[in-house]
């Protein structure tokens, strides 16, 4: 057994201390927000809350969960995230699989055309006019279709597919597989890490995105939960917030304040997407390394 020298131990202590401080600076703001969401609103406005609530209450959560608009917005966000992630990852992977084939004619042109869109875009006004012209204005699908093909993810997928052994494809072709059979029956089962990692990135991006809904949707019933949160943060008074929440709020609200409601809304909106990470963690380390090695 090799024993570490004192110099190695000192270096380890310094590294672990720095990592602990870095972790604390990342976690503490989230924990402090959680503490304020569980503290009585008027007491929170006095300041000084650090690690634990001084006046514990769940009134803030009662107000949020009594709002019908919150559940409608949460449903829109969940539907958008699930369907958008599935469609985006599937279409992006299919295009990457095609571009990874040596026999595809014009693949260099398609690749360059895709990369150009990463740096040059039409701008907001042409995009607005185009989406309105094809009937996506005030439509749920405007939250998904404009970003359904991610060129960056496509490059990562293509790099991964090009690294698969040629023998795998040749043996599948000998068994009678066409390209679709090769993709769904051979490539897909051995591509778990890259699919899981890029699905997570796509899901987080779709969950947090609020700009498209703010620009292209006027109907408040189609707004995702991020726009619900933004409206709450922009509200300057409790009365204004409660008036936006509608008639579903029937709980006692004397102890809530705009700040306590905002902190509670941040927690409620953030927790669902955080809960996805543990299920994909085992793929994450391997998946994020894909594409880091260049030919």
């Amino acid at each position: 057994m090799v024993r570490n020298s004192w110099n190695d131990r000192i270096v380890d202590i310094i590294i672990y201390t720095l990592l602990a401080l870095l972790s604390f600076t990342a976690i503490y703001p989230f924990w402090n927000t959680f503490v304020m969401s569980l503290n009585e609103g008027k007491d929170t406005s006095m300041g000084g809350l650090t690690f634990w609530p001084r006046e514990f209450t769940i009134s803030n959560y009662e107000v949020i969960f009594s709002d019908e608009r919150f559940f409608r917005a949460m449903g829109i966000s969940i539907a958008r995230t699930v369907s958008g992630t599935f469609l985006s990852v599937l279409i992006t992977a299919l295009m990457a699989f095609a571009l990874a084939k040596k026999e595809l004619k014009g693949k260099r042109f398609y690749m360059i055309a895709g990369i150009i869109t990463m740096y040059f875009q039409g701008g907001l006004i042409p995009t607005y006019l185009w989406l309105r012209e094809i009937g996506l204005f005030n439509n749920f699908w405007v939250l998904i279709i404009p970003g359904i093909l991610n060129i960056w993810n496509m490059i990562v997928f293509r790099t991964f597919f090009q690294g698969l052994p040629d023998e795998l494809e040749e043996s599948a072709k000998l068994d009678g597989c066409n390209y679709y059979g090769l993709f769904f029956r051979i490539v897909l089962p051995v591509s778990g890490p890259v699919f899981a990692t890029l699905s997570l990135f796509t899901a987080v991006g779709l969950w947090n995105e609020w700009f498209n809904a703010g620009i292209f949707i006027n109907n408040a019933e189609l707004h995702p939960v991020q726009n619900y949160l933004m409206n709450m943060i922009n509200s300057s008074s409790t009365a204004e917030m409660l008036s936006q929440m509608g008639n579903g709020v029937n709980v006692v609200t004397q102890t809530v304040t705009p700040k306590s409601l905002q902190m509670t809304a941040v927690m409620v909106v953030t927790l669902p997407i955080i809960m996805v990470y543990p299920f994909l963690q085992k793929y994450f380390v391997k998946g994020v390394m894909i594409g880091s090695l260049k030919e």
Side-chain angles (χ1 to χ4, degrees):
M1 179 177 180
V2 179
R3 298 179 64 87
N4 293 333
S5 66
W6 277 104
N7 288 338
D8 292 336
R9 294 178 182 179
I10 292 173
V11 171
D12 288 344
I13 291 173
I14 293 174
I15 291 174
Y16 284 119
T17 303
L18 291 175
L19 289 176
L21 290 174
L22 184 63
S23 300
F24 176 78
T25 57
I27 295 173
Y28 178 71
F30 189 75
W31 175 255
N32 188 247
T33 302
F34 180 61
V35 169
M36 285 193 281
S37 72
L38 291 174
N39 198 68
E40 192 266 326
K42 293 182 179 178
D43 182 73
T44 300
S45 61
M46 297 171 62
L49 276 180
T50 53
F51 295 100
W52 310 107
R54 283 195 301 257
E55 300 289 340
F56 180 83
T57 180
I58 59 172
S59 296
N60 299 311
Y61 286 92
E62 288 180 335
V63 172
I64 296 293
F65 290 136
S66 300
D67 183 14
E68 297 174 358
R69 200 180 61 137
F70 165 76
F71 289 101
R72 185 172 59 244
M74 186 65 82
I76 293 291
S77 282
I78 293 173
R80 176 199 196 180
T81 303
V82 173
S83 58
T85 300
F86 173 77
L87 292 174
S88 177
V89 171
L90 177 63
I91 292 175
T92 302
L94 283 172
M95 183 171 179
F97 181 67
L99 291 175
K101 301 292 105 183
K102 297 176 182 176
E103 61 271 24
L104 177 67
K105 295 180 180 178
K107 67 175 185 177
R108 183 178 178 83
F109 168 78
Y110 298 127
M111 197 68 200
I112 293 174
I115 291 175
I116 288 175
T117 64
M118 295 174 65
Y119 299 98
F120 303 99
Q121 299 177 2
L124 181 59
I125 294 177
T127 303
Y128 178 88
L129 296 175
W130 172 61
L131 293 176
R132 191 180 65 174
E133 190 66 23
I134 62 176
L136 287 180
F137 187 76
N138 265 341
N139 190 314
F140 169 77
W141 291 102
V142 77
L143 302 175
I144 297 174
I145 290 178
I148 202 165
L149 177 62
N150 188 306
I151 300 300
W152 177 261
N153 288 349
M154 188 270 290
I155 294 173
V156 176
F157 267 127
R158 193 192 68 149
T159 304
F160 177 82
F161 294 150
Q162 287 177 332
L164 295 176
D166 293 335
E167 293 78 7
L168 198 65
E169 180 175 339
E170 291 170 0
S171 60
K173 286 181 177 177
L174 290 176
D175 291 336
C177 267
N178 57 20
Y179 284 113
Y180 287 105
L182 181 64
F183 178 80
F184 287 105
R185 297 172 61 184
I186 305 298
V187 174
L188 198 59
V190 300
S191 307
V194 65
F195 271 91
T197 304
L198 295 182
S199 295
L200 179 61
F201 289 161
T202 304
V204 172
L206 288 172
W207 182 266
N208 290 330
E209 205 279 331
W210 57 270
F211 184 78
N212 283 352
I215 296 295
F216 303 119
I217 293 180
N218 288 335
N219 185 357
E221 294 187 355
L222 292 176
H223 279 170
V225 74
Q226 297 299 333
N227 294 76
Y228 170 88
L229 174 61
M230 190 176 68
N231 290 334
M232 288 198 67
I233 291 176
N234 291 334
S235 302
S236 58
S237 67
T238 306
E240 185 179 351
M241 286 183 180
L242 298 180
S243 66
Q244 290 182 0
M245 290 178 176
N247 298 324
V249 181
N250 297 314
V251 298
V252 178
T253 58
Q254 287 83 356
T255 60
V256 302
T257 62
K259 186 174 183 179
S260 66
L261 285 180
Q262 289 164 0
M263 296 301 105
T264 307
V266 169
M267 291 303 305
V268 173
V269 170
T270 308
L271 280 178
I273 198 66
I274 291 179
M275 294 170 65
V276 175
Y277 278 91
F279 297 100
L280 300 178
Q281 186 184 10
K282 62 180 180 181
Y283 301 110
F284 201 71
V285 174
K286 186 177 180 180
V288 296
M289 295 298 293
I290 296 170
S292 60
L293 299 178
K294 307 299 180 186
E295 294 180 356

